[in-house]
Amino acid sequence: MTKLIIDGKEIDVPAEFTLLQACEAAGAEIPRFCYHERLSIAGNCRMCLVEVKGGPKPVASCAWGVRDCRPGPKGEPPEISTRSPMVKKAREGVMEFLLINHPLDCPICDQGGECDLQDQAMGYGVDTSRFAENKRAVEDKYLGALVKTSMNRCIQCTRCVRFSAEVAGAPEMGATGRGEDMEITTYLEQALTSELQGNLVDICPVGALTSKPYAFAARPWELGKTQSVDVMDGVGSAIRVDTRGREVMRILPRINEAVNEEWISDKTRHVVDGLRTQRLDRPYIRENGKLRAASWQEAFAAIAAKTSRTDGKRIGAIAGDVAAIEEMFALKELMAKWGSANLAVQGGDAFSAGAGRSTYIFNPTIAGIEQADALLIIGANPRKEAAVLNARIRKRWRTGQLKVAVIGAKADLTYDYDYLGAGTDTLSELASGKHSFTEVLKGAKHPIVLVGAGALARHDGAAVLGLAAKVVAGVGALKDGWNGFAVLQDTASRAGALDIGFAAGKGGLNLAQMTTFGTLDVLFLLGADEVKVPDGTFVVYIGTHGDRGAHRADVILPGAAYTEKSGLYVNTEGRVQIASRAAFPPGEAREDWAIVRALSDVLGKKLPYDSLGALRQALFKAVPHLMRIDQIEPGKAEDVKALAGKKGGKVDKTPFKSSVEDFYLTNPIARASAVMAECSRLASGRMLTAAE
């Protein structure tokens, strides 16, 4: 530790700190534009100037290391001043320079009220300017469907350039020209390709980059703010939902170092318009092949009439990708009253709920990726399935301490990797210890074997999971304090469903069997839209959008979207999280658990809870670890060893492929979004160009 005196206060800080970090540790406020904790240091805005005693001029604290400070003539600690007249005058001068070319756009700028430049001009600037020359003008750039540009406002802090190159791994932005002619631009005037490009708007300290879909929609002081979690993938990023009245206006990231740091994917951020369109706002019944609007009583009566003459063993339920734990638990209880164990969650057939938690969660944890020194990816494309988690892998890879290998389809993952093979042959070689990469995994302190949902959604998924567990056990990735078996769930509901046992019970049918012709008479789809239900099955769809599930349904019961209800979710690493209600469902739509509870009453199989609190009490009694919000109940390494020791079935020679073909259109909410449709069109155009 090094001693410093900052504004008269003595403080000990690590020698590797910058002066800016040291000043903040001492409680001083340092203004900045170009500096960002998660990006490399550029040192080009000069707003963070401080005075070092004995120095001839102020220094940029972001680029000046604590170890570079010289002690006083008698060996006394270096003295730093952040509020001296020299510093005040220097900051006023810097602010005056920054505003020379900045247009007077504040009243019509989307960043108004959330603009760093506005705030710092008030705090550190002066009210006059000595420059009378014309302001320079810069052409706006086309960056795609999500980021709107007003480049006259750009102060060339280069945060966007560094974010694109370092975090997103798509170095498409840069500076051209010199001096007054310098511009920030995309080199080829094409749409940005990163799945994280919306974060450029968050890190831009002025209004040069703003959100295109949200342009001129609302001012920040008009909005109600609700803390929640994202359900677009299995990561469970921390988000803030901003609403005006009953309408969700935008979604922004919250800082959660353990999960998403401060980034969110573009799907998480811009799916907002999908919450408004194609919504189911009243019950429907199919009569003579056509759906007609009905009352709740009529819809319930139609279900009761059908189920009353159906054997409970021929009734099943499938949960979709964004179902919360409460409604799955209620539906499971209702199925139990029929004596039915026909339960499944989309893409969950490869897992056995009774095999132990560590067989279906990301055991090393998302933050644990930063300790990993070897990573084997099996049948996954983390860039599409979990864009924020992929950024974490890239962050570790950039340190030079992570060796990555892939079995499956080749893809641009934003980091280099060794391509080992396409399918199960290579995986079998690794499991038997005959592959050269086995030695890399064995030699690593913290190896991770990441298995993707795409490799497990096949009919031989359980056997593939067993082989992956065998690799983990064989290379010694199960040791004290480290479990290297990582299942990357690509949906928000799957880990939670397996936690509560929403899977085929004893004598029950799994998803593949339930969707085979003639096995079921009645099937409940809880927001499940990715399944093909055979003719002859009576389908009850509980969901939010007029998507594939609703098109196939015989009775539609309108539910609430994730922003319209309070619900528990478990992310891919097994972390229990709570999504809070920010808005209300449209029309006659109701919260899903309440629909199941009301239906149970009509069916004469009344569930024993009348409130969400009572339902959660029953849930916590059945699965106690779900009450520990934002904590991970660790899985047991023995379960992975047991899985590795099981005799798996035969594996298919078909090559692995990712479970996500189109990043932007993975669920009903995303498919209802015009913004996501435009992003998908731009992405498919790029793929066509690449193929040509």
Side-chain angles (χ1 to χ4, degrees):
M1 300 291 269
T2 305
K3 264 194 175 37
L4 291 177
I5 297 170
I6 296 172
D7 293 338
K9 178 180 173 184
E10 197 170 286
I11 186 170
D12 280 328
V13 293
E16 61 271 13
F17 264 30
T18 61
L19 270 189
L20 189 148
Q21 289 170 304
C23 292
E24 294 207 324
E29 187 181 295
I30 305 291
R32 83 290 297 265
F33 291 114
C34 69
Y35 176 79
H36 191 281
E37 303 82 70
R38 302 186 202 278
L39 303 175
S40 60
I41 292 167
N44 57 9
C45 78
R46 318 312 280 179
M47 195 64 211
C48 63
L49 296 172
V50 295
E51 182 182 356
V52 179
K53 191 178 178 185
K57 56 184 182 180
V59 301
S61 60
C62 71
W64 193 278
V66 165
R67 57 163 62 94
D68 299 328
C69 298
R70 291 183 186 171
K74 295 176 185 170
E76 60 266 38
E79 281 189 49
I80 316 295
S81 176
T82 68
R83 295 195 292 261
S84 67
M86 180 204 271
V87 172
K88 185 174 183 292
K89 187 164 185 258
R91 286 178 183 167
E92 285 173 357
V94 169
M95 184 57 74
E96 195 176 348
F97 271 119
L98 284 173
L99 295 176
I100 289 172
N101 286 308
H102 198 75
L104 292 171
D105 277 351
C106 295
I108 56 139
C109 176
D110 250 3
Q111 206 82 335
E114 296 174 311
C115 174
D116 289 352
L117 185 63
Q118 210 172 44
D119 295 343
Q120 291 183 41
M122 286 292 289
Y124 303 99
V126 286
D127 59 354
T128 54
S129 175
R130 289 168 286 178
F131 290 86
E133 288 79 11
N134 290 333
K135 292 179 185 285
R136 65 168 190 172
V138 184
E139 223 174 272
D140 291 343
K141 309 294 185 290
Y142 172 72
L143 298 185
L146 303 180
V147 182
K148 180 172 181 272
T149 60
S150 278
M151 298 315 283
N152 284 337
R153 303 170 188 161
C154 178
I155 60 167
Q156 294 159 2
C157 67
T158 68
R159 277 189 185 183
C160 55
V161 177
R162 285 173 284 146
F163 174 85
S164 301
E166 294 163 19
V167 179
E172 298 161 322
M173 296 192 75
T176 60
R178 296 180 67 181
E180 196 180 36
D181 297 324
M182 181 173 159
E183 289 184 30
I184 303 291
T185 177
T186 55
Y187 301 115
L188 301 173
E189 286 277 340
Q190 287 181 337
L192 298 173
T193 61
S194 172
E195 294 78 16
L196 299 168
Q197 59 184 278
N199 295 293
L200 292 172
V201 174
D202 290 341
I203 62 169
C204 181
V206 296
L209 303 178
T210 56
S211 172
K212 202 178 261 188
Y214 175 70
F216 311 119
R219 287 295 198 185
W221 53 85
E222 301 176 294
L223 304 173
K225 299 165 179 65
T226 308
Q227 296 194 350
S228 191
V229 293
D230 171 49
V231 301
M232 291 295 117
D233 53 31
V235 175
S237 302
I239 58 171
R240 191 185 89 195
V241 182
D242 286 1
T243 51
R244 185 171 59 190
R246 293 176 67 97
E247 192 175 8
V248 176
M249 300 304 293
R250 64 174 178 179
I251 290 172
L252 295 176
R254 283 187 296 124
I255 294 175
N256 185 340
E257 297 295 346
V259 181
N260 59 308
E261 298 181 294
E262 63 182 82
W263 318 123
I264 53 173
S265 76
D266 294 337
K267 187 164 49 177
T268 300
R269 185 188 298 267
H270 291 296
V271 82
V272 171
D273 64 319
L275 291 165
R276 305 179 199 127
T277 48
Q278 292 189 331
R279 287 300 300 270
L280 300 170
D281 59 356
R282 66 188 73 178
Y284 288 86
I285 297 173
R286 191 176 295 279
E287 283 179 359
N288 304 320
K290 286 189 176 177
L291 288 167
R292 71 160 179 90
S295 66
W296 280 102
Q297 289 82 0
E298 283 180 289
F300 285 168
I303 298 166
K306 181 68 181 174
T307 54
S308 63
R309 54 180 192 270
T310 304
D311 176 13
K313 297 274 192 294
R314 292 182 65 82
I315 299 174
I318 299 172
D321 293 349
V322 295
I325 289 174
E326 289 91 342
E327 57 243 33
M328 289 192 283
F329 182 75
L331 188 53
K332 184 190 174 200
E333 297 271 281
L334 180 60
M335 288 291 142
K337 285 186 181 286
W338 269 308
S340 171
N342 304 326
L343 298 168
V345 62
Q346 284 181 171
D349 276 5
F351 306 102
S352 167
R357 206 163 193 249
S358 60
T359 63
Y360 57 80
I361 63 169
F362 199 95
N363 292 288
T365 72
I366 294 169
I369 291 169
E370 297 194 27
Q371 290 175 265
D373 41 6
L375 170 65
L376 173 64
I377 298 172
I378 302 166
N381 181 339
R383 182 173 174 179
K384 284 187 174 180
E385 293 165 37
V388 173
L389 183 141
N390 195 60
R392 187 83 74 144
I393 297 174
R394 176 177 165 79
K395 180 183 178 184
R396 177 61 176 167
W397 170 81
R398 286 184 73 237
T399 65
Q401 294 172 300
L402 179 66
K403 194 160 176 57
V404 186
V406 168
I407 301 174
K410 285 184 180 176
D412 176 9
L413 298 179
T414 73
Y415 39 83
D416 295 336
Y417 57 83
D418 294 336
Y419 184 67
L420 306 185
T424 51
D425 287 348
T426 316
L427 183 57
S428 300
E429 267 184 61
L430 275 154
S432 57
K434 292 174 187 167
H435 199 284
S436 56
F437 197 75
T438 312
E439 296 310 312
V440 176
L441 291 167
K442 277 183 179 171
K445 276 187 185 172
H446 299 117
I448 295 179
V449 174
L450 185 156
V451 196
L456 305 173
R458 308 158 22 132
H459 66 86
D460 62 346
V464 171
L465 189 68
L467 273 179
K470 209 172 169 187
V471 174
V472 171
V475 298
L478 303 168
K479 43 192 161 189
D480 283 349
W482 186 257
N483 182 337
F485 188 63
V487 177
L488 179 59
Q489 303 288 10
D490 59 343
T491 71
S493 62
R494 201 174 297 137
L498 293 163
D499 270 358
I500 62 167
F502 197 93
K506 199 174 178 186
L509 305 174
N510 63 18
L511 191 144
Q513 291 162 332
M514 280 194 268
T515 51
T516 304
F517 182 77
T519 53
L520 289 183
D521 292 333
V522 179
L523 180 58
F524 286 83
L525 297 182
L526 186 60
D529 290 85
E530 324 302 322
V531 292
K532 284 185 180 170
V533 183
D535 294 337
T537 305
F538 185 85
V539 175
V540 179
Y541 179 76
I542 305 170
T544 56
H545 286 73
D547 205 80
R548 299 164 192 167
H551 288 192
R552 173 62 188 83
D554 293 287
V555 176
I556 295 173
L557 306 176
Y562 70 105
T563 53
E564 299 158 1
K565 63 188 174 191
S566 176
L568 292 168
Y569 291 89
V570 175
N571 77 348
T572 188
E573 60 179 348
R575 185 183 299 275
V576 184
Q577 297 177 300
I578 190 160
S580 304
R581 182 167 71 187
F584 291 89
E588 293 176 44
R590 295 289 179 268
E591 291 183 38
D592 305 57
W593 74 266
I595 295 171
V596 177
R597 163 66 184 79
L599 176 61
S600 72
D601 215 351
V602 176
L603 298 174
K605 300 182 185 304
K606 189 173 176 182
L607 295 172
Y609 24 79
D610 295 326
S611 67
L612 186 59
L615 166 55
R616 281 185 178 155
Q617 271 186 325
L619 173 63
F620 297 154
K621 197 173 173 186
V623 191
H625 76 256
L626 292 177
M627 73 174 80
R628 295 190 279 278
I629 303 297
D630 207 37
Q631 289 183 35
I632 300 171
E633 178 77 12
K636 296 176 185 145
E638 292 74 44
D639 294 334
V640 181
K641 286 176 185 166
L643 182 65
K646 268 187 191 167
K647 279 219 177 303
K650 256 188 101 177
V651 288
D652 202 323
K653 301 278 187 193
T654 319
F656 293 133
K657 63 174 189 175
S658 169
S659 59
V660 176
E661 286 178 16
D662 190 332
F663 168 76
Y664 298 102
L665 304 176
T666 52
N667 60 50
I669 304 173
R671 286 192 287 269
S673 163
V675 176
M676 292 295 98
E678 175 63 7
C679 290
S680 173
R681 186 188 66 77
L682 289 168
S684 61
R686 281 194 299 271
M687 282 157 63
L688 281 171
T689 310
E692 283 162 13

